[in-house]
Structures are given as C-alpha cells and as structure tokens.
Amino acid sequence: MFNGLADWWDGVELWLAQAPFPVQFVLVMAVVVPLCLVAAWVLDAVFGKVARRFGTARDANDPDRPS
C-alpha cells in the first residue's frame, strides 16, 4: 500500500519538477497558500485557547496593575 503511494508521489514530484516554471508557480501557490492559511487559522485558534486557559502574565512592578 505504501509503495503504491510512494510511487504515485514520485510520479507527481517528477511531473512537477519537469513542468515549466510558471506552471510550477501556479500549482505551488494554489496548494501552499491555502494550506498556510488553514495552518495559521488552526494555530491561532489553538494558541488563543491555551492563552485564555492560562490567563495573562502580569509583572508585579507593572504600574498599570491595580493594587
């Protein structure tokens, strides 16, 4: 099963490497940009939840901190 997947991926990689640069650019941007946007959204959501769970760090010498 994994050999078939590896062979398929090798074929895709070879096809992409042999394609002209404008085709490579368009295909990579069509795949990488959405993946990066999704990854950024997921990381923002996860770290936002973690930050809300642990609260904010406050410095004891912070002049804006209420007494």
Side-chain angles (χ1 to χ4, degrees):
M1 178 180 154
F2 289 112
N3 285 337
L5 181 63
D7 290 341
W8 173 81
W9 182 252
D10 286 342
V12 170
E13 183 181 26
L14 182 61
W15 173 79
L16 183 59
Q18 293 176 345
F21 178 75
V23 174
Q24 290 179 0
F25 179 79
V26 169
L27 288 174
V28 168
M29 294 307 284
V31 172
V32 172
V33 169
L35 286 177
C36 288
L37 289 173
V38 168
W41 178 77
V42 168
L43 289 173
D44 182 55
V46 168
F47 287 122
K49 288 182 181 185
V50 170
R52 279 191 298 278
R53 177 165 170 80
F54 289 107
T56 58
R58 298 190 189 260
D59 187 32
N61 297 327
D62 187 3
D64 294 331
R65 182 177 178 205
S67 300

